[in-house]
Amino acid sequence: MAQVRNKQVFLKNYVTGFPKESDMEIVEGSITLKVPEGSSDVVLLKNLYLSCDPFMRILMTEDTPANLGLLYSPGSSTVRNNSGPVTQRPPLYGTLLSLLLVKILLLGLLLPLLGFGVSKVIESGHENYKKGMPGMTAYGGFFEVGCPKKGERVFVSAASGAVGQLVGQFAKLTDCYVVGSAGSQEKVDILKNKLGFDEAFNYKEESDLDAALKRYFPEGIDIYFENVGGKTLDAVLLNMRSNGRIPLCGMISQYNLTQQEGVTNLTHLIYKEIRMEGFVVFKFYHLYPKFLEFVLPHIREGKIAYVEDIVEGLESGPEALIGLFSGQNFGKKIVAISRE
Amino acid sequence: MAQVRNKQVFLKNYVTGFPKESDMEIVEGSITLKVPEGSSDVVLLKNLYLSCDPFMRILMTEDTPANLGLLYSPGSSTVRNNSGPVTQRPPLYGTLLSLLLVKILLLGLLLPLLGFGVSKVIESGHENYKKGMPGMTAYGGFFEVGCPKKGERVFVSAASGAVGQLVGQFAKLTDCYVVGSAGSQEKVDILKNKLGFDEAFNYKEESDLDAALKRYFPEGIDIYFENVGGKTLDAVLLNMRSNGRIPLCGMISQYNLTQQEGVTNLTHLIYKEIRMEGFVVFKFYHLYPKFLEFVLPHIREGKIAYVEDIVEGLESGPEALIGLFSGQNFGKKIVAISRE
């Protein structure tokens, strides 16, 4: 049986505050290129691209507020996040996914980092585990949790990020008015000129977020797609319309804080009868066929653009991941492992 | 046409912090006891009982976070909150209601206080506007927003209050495990011994709310019926289970604060995929027949108890209302105007 080299990014220490490269370690091991005999639920994959996502930070915290078990409930997995071939149990909702859920294996304090990726199926014991594509987070969060109606007013924070850029475009395809916030003028320009947002602004240049939102939403916000949390959420609450919806996708501004910012305007949720709902993408996996039906025609017609920010080699992974938290990425941050 | 005396409680000044009796004024006027000719949508009522509710505090604040217009959207009304007969437009969802929605009339700074009550119909141009009963807030919030399932774990704050005591009993009737918090040992005893809560505790005696909740909910909370906000909500978020629901009925701990307490644990909503949803009772008025169908058999069988705290005379209104915010009421606080 062929043994191959298998590099992995491990977490050496639980992280407090912003993660540092020295919190991570690249370890080289080996793996056997063979699915065990009679394993109908095991797939052998070669990771081609690995994704850097803000939620990975949450899992680096000791006593993380997330019960890790919950994250896996819809689709348990035994893969390790590495550059070589691995074995994987398909999610219970396994459809056409290649968004890999990689489980943290507790090896003392050495934890391989949990993350998504795109992989090539080398050998499979499971017929559903063949191919896939990203975007489910934006799709499920916007359509299933946000429940948009034509003409509604949509605000997206971290709008040039991996999820935000798609939410904005999905909103335009639904005939909504959409405004995004981002952290640089360059990002703002691309949101307006390339990704079709009606308006965009640089939150770092707004001393009064409430005033900025009132400028772009004089009649208020129907849907706030939440990626950042903290002060932004507080300002948004002041500007929500009655019966608004707030899909909670992430709160990246809070992940590295040892003391989280308090959100003080929650009473607005009551009078305005607002629904604020958290979700994790696994919830939407059963919608994958519906997602493809929606998104593929638009991709074919060139109506959906997608901005990626790719770095080369597993060794670049720690730096790429850390850069997320200071907004250094534009769009989806990806580590290319193998361009075959 | 008969002219009768008509006393009203007016708000003299917008309120900052806790309301004082001196912020209110009792004004005597007169009213004509006649529905205008041909007015098919006007009802003449005599108020028998007036209700003191925490939400009334919100409407006493200048630049209240609530857009007052929103509160009236389902059922516009022209009644004034007073002790004598008044005229009223029935809500759009008018069914069998006698929960009166009373509109603030802007007379300079003199505002009659908005509130609910029980009234006698003296003359009516509208066939649906004849009688009614309370409980819709608890019913709609618990069943429609909370979506309880048999065996789930329910926590109710302000559990001895007007709404909380019914939510707890509805939860028991749904075969849930239910724990309530209240502000005195006497209230705790009544919750457990009279109202059938599985457990109850005095939040004023718990220095660590998180620890208290872990004691009563070692496996976590499925539904938190929110009446208080602030620190309690923050502690609850640490103890919610995956896919939990938080119906937001009120946040009484925050209404008198000029600087609201920050809620810091909102990221739990994401990982645990929790839905937190505000509501105002008007949203549920169309469910009134369903509510009666549920509640009447239980009332007939003596399975639902209701604790009221009644004071006499419109003149007692301001004191009764203010007492809500220091927890002086037990159960539903009512001002009896006329016991006919």
Side-chain angles (χ1 to χ4, degrees):
Chain A
M1 269 180 254
Q3 284 270 332
V4 296
R5 292 188 314 139
N6 185 30
K7 274 194 283 189
Q8 299 173 275
V9 179
F10 277 83
L11 187 65
K12 281 196 297 187
N13 312 295
Y14 287 115
V15 175
T16 307
F18 280 82
K20 302 177 298 296
E21 286 192 56
S22 59
D23 293 323
M24 298 176 233
E25 185 173 48
I26 294 174
V27 175
E28 191 165 323
S30 67
I31 192 169
T32 304
L33 272 187
K34 184 70 192 156
V35 167
E37 293 286 330
S39 305
S40 68
D41 61 348
V42 172
V43 184
L44 188 62
L45 300 168
K46 177 172 184 176
N47 287 334
L48 305 182
Y49 299 93
L50 295 177
S51 168
C52 295
D53 293 296
F55 81 90
M56 295 166 74
R57 171 64 186 83
I58 300 162
L59 306 174
M60 298 178 186
T61 302
E62 193 170 20
D63 292 328
T64 181
N67 177 336
L68 292 184
L70 302 177
L71 280 172
Y72 303 104
S73 52
S76 165
S77 157
T78 58
V79 180
R80 293 197 290 176
N81 185 356
N82 52 41
S83 66
V86 291
T87 55
Q88 161 116 3
R89 292 184 188 280
L92 297 178
Y93 293 154
T95 50
L96 306 175
L97 307 174
S98 76
L99 293 170
L100 301 187
L101 172 56
V102 184
K103 188 168 183 174
I104 284 182
L105 299 176
L106 287 162
L107 302 170
L109 245 180
L110 272 183
L111 309 174
L113 284 171
L114 181 149
F116 290 98
V118 176
S119 306
K120 178 181 173 184
V121 175
I122 296 182
E123 192 181 3
S124 175
H126 193 287
E127 58 177 11
N128 282 341
Y129 218 85
K130 303 300 184 191
K131 59 177 187 178
M133 68 179 296
M136 285 301 292
T137 303
Y139 178 82
F142 183 63
F143 289 107
E144 296 295 314
V145 183
C147 304
K149 291 187 281 291
K150 188 176 167 173
E152 285 194 320
R153 300 150 189 88
V154 177
F155 177 53
V156 186
S157 56
S160 68
V163 175
Q165 58 174 308
L166 285 176
V167 170
Q169 294 178 83
F170 292 168
K172 287 314 299 174
L173 290 168
T174 315
D175 292 323
C176 292
Y177 166 78
V178 60
V179 178
S181 65
S184 75
Q185 188 56 45
E186 185 200 358
K187 290 177 180 178
V188 165
D189 291 341
I190 293 184
L191 287 172
K192 292 206 284 192
N193 301 326
K194 176 167 177 167
L195 299 174
F197 282 63
D198 293 293
E199 295 286 351
F201 64 88
N202 179 353
Y203 71 89
K204 292 178 182 170
E205 289 183 357
E206 301 288 346
S207 56
D208 183 343
L209 275 175
D210 176 34
L213 291 170
K214 285 186 167 50
R215 201 163 69 234
Y216 292 108
F217 295 97
E219 298 176 81
I221 299 165
D222 294 294
I223 299 175
Y224 170 47
F225 197 96
E226 168 67 296
N227 288 312
V228 301
K231 292 186 181 72
T232 305
L233 177 58
D234 240 352
V236 166
L237 287 167
L238 298 172
N239 290 281
M240 287 297 290
R241 286 164 64 87
S242 189
N243 295 300
R245 289 130 273 153
I246 305 181
L248 300 176
C249 177
M251 295 190 175
I252 195 171
S253 74
Q254 305 299 299
Y255 297 160
N256 298 304
L257 302 179
T258 44
Q259 178 60 49
Q260 305 220 331
E261 289 172 344
V263 173
T264 60
N265 295 321
L266 292 174
T267 46
H268 285 251
L269 297 176
I270 305 177
Y271 331 128
K272 298 179 186 168
E273 306 193 82
I274 291 166
R275 176 164 52 81
M276 186 154 98
E277 186 168 347
F279 63 90
V280 176
V281 64
F282 316 128
K283 171 181 258 171
F284 307 122
Y285 279 180
H286 65 290
L287 300 172
Y288 196 71
K290 206 173 145 191
F291 165 65
L292 288 182
E293 198 181 311
F294 169 80
V295 83
L296 288 181
H298 293 306
I299 289 176
R300 276 191 215 105
E301 292 169 33
K303 284 188 181 165
I304 293 180
Y306 197 69
V307 181
E308 292 173 333
D309 185 350
I310 302 182
V311 294
E312 299 292 329
L314 187 75
E315 291 76 5
S316 309
E319 186 189 352
L321 181 60
I322 290 167
L324 287 181
F325 301 104
S326 50
Q328 285 174 18
N329 58 308
F330 190 104
K332 181 68 184 174
K333 190 83 184 186
I334 290 168
V335 179
I337 307 294
S338 171
R339 290 184 178 270
E340 62 178 70
Chain B
M1 267 179 254
Q3 284 270 333
V4 296
R5 292 189 315 139
N6 185 30
K7 274 192 284 191
Q8 298 173 275
V9 179
F10 277 84
L11 187 65
K12 281 196 296 187
N13 312 296
Y14 287 115
V15 174
T16 308
F18 279 82
K20 303 177 298 294
E21 286 193 55
S22 59
D23 293 322
M24 297 174 235
E25 185 173 48
I26 294 174
V27 175
E28 190 164 324
S30 68
I31 192 169
T32 304
L33 270 188
K34 185 69 192 157
V35 166
E37 294 285 332
S39 305
S40 67
D41 60 348
V42 172
V43 183
L44 188 63
L45 300 168
K46 178 170 184 178
N47 288 334
L48 305 181
Y49 299 94
L50 296 177
S51 168
C52 296
D53 292 296
F55 81 91
M56 297 167 73
R57 171 65 188 82
I58 299 163
L59 306 173
M60 299 179 184
T61 301
E62 193 170 21
D63 293 328
T64 180
N67 176 337
L68 292 184
L70 302 177
L71 280 172
Y72 302 105
S73 53
S76 165
S77 157
T78 59
V79 180
R80 293 196 290 175
N81 185 355
N82 53 40
S83 66
V86 290
T87 54
Q88 160 116 5
R89 292 184 187 282
L92 297 179
Y93 292 154
T95 51
L96 306 175
L97 306 175
S98 76
L99 293 171
L100 301 186
L101 171 58
V102 184
K103 189 169 183 174
I104 284 184
L105 300 174
L106 287 162
L107 304 170
L109 246 181
L110 272 185
L111 310 173
L113 284 172
L114 180 151
F116 290 98
V118 176
S119 305
K120 178 181 173 185
V121 175
I122 296 182
E123 192 179 4
S124 175
H126 193 286
E127 59 177 11
N128 282 341
Y129 219 86
K130 304 299 185 191
K131 59 177 187 176
M133 66 179 299
M136 284 300 291
T137 303
Y139 178 81
F142 183 63
F143 288 107
E144 296 294 313
V145 183
C147 305
K149 290 186 283 292
K150 188 175 165 174
E152 285 194 319
R153 301 150 188 88
V154 178
F155 177 54
V156 187
S157 55
S160 68
V163 175
Q165 59 174 305
L166 285 176
V167 170
Q169 292 177 85
F170 292 168
K172 287 313 301 174
L173 291 167
T174 315
D175 292 323
C176 293
Y177 166 78
V178 61
V179 179
S181 65
S184 75
Q185 188 56 45
E186 186 201 358
K187 291 178 180 178
V188 166
D189 290 343
I190 293 185
L191 288 172
K192 292 205 286 191
N193 302 327
K194 176 167 178 168
L195 299 174
F197 283 63
D198 293 292
E199 295 287 349
F201 65 89
N202 179 354
Y203 71 89
K204 292 178 181 168
E205 289 183 357
E206 299 289 347
S207 56
D208 183 343
L209 275 175
D210 175 35
L213 291 170
K214 284 187 168 49
R215 202 164 67 233
Y216 291 107
F217 295 97
E219 296 176 83
I221 299 166
D222 293 295
I223 299 175
Y224 170 48
F225 197 95
E226 168 66 296
N227 287 311
V228 301
K231 292 187 182 72
T232 305
L233 177 56
D234 240 351
V236 166
L237 287 168
L238 298 173
N239 289 283
M240 288 296 290
R241 286 164 64 87
S242 189
N243 296 300
R245 289 129 273 152
I246 305 182
L248 300 177
C249 177
M251 293 190 176
I252 195 171
S253 74
Q254 304 299 300
Y255 297 161
N256 298 305
L257 301 180
T258 45
Q259 178 60 50
Q260 305 220 331
E261 289 172 343
V263 173
T264 60
N265 295 323
L266 293 173
T267 45
H268 285 251
L269 297 176
I270 306 177
Y271 332 126
K272 297 178 186 168
E273 307 193 80
I274 291 165
R275 175 164 51 80
M276 186 154 100
E277 187 167 347
F279 63 91
V280 177
V281 64
F282 314 130
K283 170 181 259 171
F284 308 122
Y285 278 179
H286 66 288
L287 300 173
Y288 196 71
K290 206 173 146 190
F291 166 65
L292 288 182
E293 195 180 313
F294 170 79
V295 84
L296 287 180
H298 293 306
I299 289 175
R300 276 192 215 103
E301 292 170 34
K303 286 189 180 165
I304 293 181
Y306 197 69
V307 181
E308 290 173 334
D309 184 350
I310 302 182
V311 296
E312 299 291 330
L314 187 75
E315 291 76 5
S316 310
E319 186 189 353
L321 181 59
I322 290 166
L324 286 182
F325 301 104
S326 51
Q328 284 173 21
N329 58 308
F330 190 103
K332 180 70 184 172
K333 189 84 186 186
I334 289 167
V335 180
I337 308 292
S338 171
R339 289 184 179 270
E340 63 178 65

